[in-house]
Amino acid sequence: MIALTLAEIAAATRGTLLLDGTDATPETPVSGLSTTDSREVVPGTIFFAKPGEVTDGHLFAPQAAEAGAGLVVVDHPLDLAVPQLLVEDTVVALGDLATEVIARVRSLGRLKIVGITGSNGKTTTKNLLRAVLEQVGPTIAPRASFNNEVGAPVTMLEVTEETQFLVAEMGASGIGEIARLVRMARPDVGVVLKVGLAHAGEFGGIEKTLQAKTEMVTDLLESDVAVLNLDDPRVTTMAGKTAARVLWFGLDERADVRATDVVSDRRGTSFTLHLPPRDGGEGRQSPAQSRPVRFQVLGEHHVMNALAAAASAHVLDVDIDTIVAALQTVKTAERWRMEVLGDSEVTVINDAYNASPDSMSAAIKTLAQIAEPGGRTVAVLGEMSELGEFSGEEHDRIGLLAVRLGIDQLVVVGPEARRMHITAINEGSWDGESLYFETQDAAFDHLQGALRPGDTVLVKSSNSAGLRFLGDRLGEFFS
């Protein structure tokens, strides 16, 4: 974070400094990172004591103080010999401080901000764009999926005067949440990847999801750029709701940034990247350009994420050769996202960090595409959570898809996902080709004895189902 005095932090958050029993004064500078996790505190860190559903961050403030926190942000005074900032709401204060820091750094004229949202692909696109922009200048992007009202501002507060690019992943589970993040750090480039059923249960339906995702572009200025997915009819409606210039990406031949000649295999996906002409000023334009890309991230669906990253980088004046070179260096989207484990005999694809109907379908299609000749495809699937009223029919649809794509063995884990198993049986009249297990341990016991050389295994579920740990166990067992 940029250096601010305690008084400046208090002013930005509308808080009251409590300095009794410390050596600090209002003019004491603080420039450490911010966190809500006391385990991450090092000397100089700002610790925000966030109340939670299970526990309260105030209970961990003593550990933060002992670890050397430069400031503890609280909603009630604590008996600690450390500078405290008393605020009404610590999460709101976190956002207020991020807003202040971003405004100060932007005023220097160097910082460019890319905001990314969508029902699927945010983290992958963020990682790809970070890989590109780091080739050009100092870049800040979230760890893991830091994209909510806490994670996003924590990332924003990593910005310094030297930062050239901030990639802000902006997620939401309700109306207004993306708008709040956009107000903290209004993007120069706003990216919308897809509007699907992920979290539809929390939003209250697909139309509410669309409304929430549209918040990414509604406050953009004429000088900004909205990078939108031309292949998603819901995303295309956003073009009429933004003042920004629209740059389309997709597989559609009308897209400004598009991919052709897409071919997937076990090593990734090959495609040709096409970028539009660039405005050179005074009426001059550079020609459109194309380059072949050997993309190592597994799954044809990730090509769309690569296109979104390429489009954003193009807006920020990154040349096509730098974009392609960086895209080709990325091997894994993220931990537990199409992560290839196992050995040369049994391949385990652990894609169980999260799951929606769209991402589940894409992963199963990838499994069908990349199977070894003569080898079996095995889909180990768990619950897709947060679908609300759509849950039953969407689990049915995945069971049907597994049958229709000819997946050799379906293994369904957990009572919330059992409907996939029943639907698969009803559709295919299988004799043991769909199996159901109540627990991960039971599924693991079966799989460790049933899998054989040449098998390709996909493990996929929502985070809450926890099948990523089953994927890790299988990967370790077959390593």
Side-chain angles (χ1 to χ4, degrees), residues 15-93:
T16 302
L17 285 173
L18 306 175
L19 303 179
D20 290 347
T22 74
D23 296 329
T25 72
E27 300 309 309
T28 298
V30 178
S31 59
L33 297 179
S34 298
T35 186
T36 60
D37 187 340
S38 62
R39 296 167 297 183
E40 297 180 349
V41 173
V42 297
T45 297
I46 304 175
F47 175 69
F48 286 79
K50 181 181 77 71
E53 295 180 3
V54 177
T55 187
D56 187 337
H58 292 79
L59 299 175
F60 300 93
Q63 290 95 309
E66 186 177 345
L71 177 66
V72 174
V73 183
V74 296
D75 62 20
H76 59 272
L78 301 177
D79 185 16
L80 295 173
V82 63
Q84 297 177 52
L85 179 62
L86 180 63
V87 297
E88 191 170 315
D89 186 310
T90 58
V91 174
V92 171

Side-chain angles (χ1 to χ4, degrees), residues 199-275:
H199 310 294
E202 290 185 313
F203 281 108
I206 192 67
E207 293 307 317
K208 292 291 186 182
T209 305
L210 173 59
Q211 181 183 342
K213 301 303 181 185
T214 303
E215 293 170 5
M216 172 59 75
V217 302
T218 49
D219 288 339
L220 297 183
L221 306 178
E222 289 185 9
S223 57
D224 301 326
V225 179
V227 173
L228 302 179
N229 180 358
L230 186 58
D231 294 357
D232 187 322
R234 294 190 181 95
V235 175
T236 60
T237 66
M238 299 180 189
K241 299 176 181 178
T242 183
R245 174 170 69 89
V246 174
L247 186 71
W248 299 105
F249 71 92
L251 302 180
D252 190 302
E253 62 181 10
R254 299 169 298 168
D256 302 298
V257 177
R258 60 194 177 94
T260 59
D261 309 314
V262 180
V263 179
S264 293
D265 58 31
R266 298 175 69 83
R267 300 185 303 276
T269 307
S270 296
F271 63 94
T272 300
L273 172 66
H274 303 269
L275 295 184

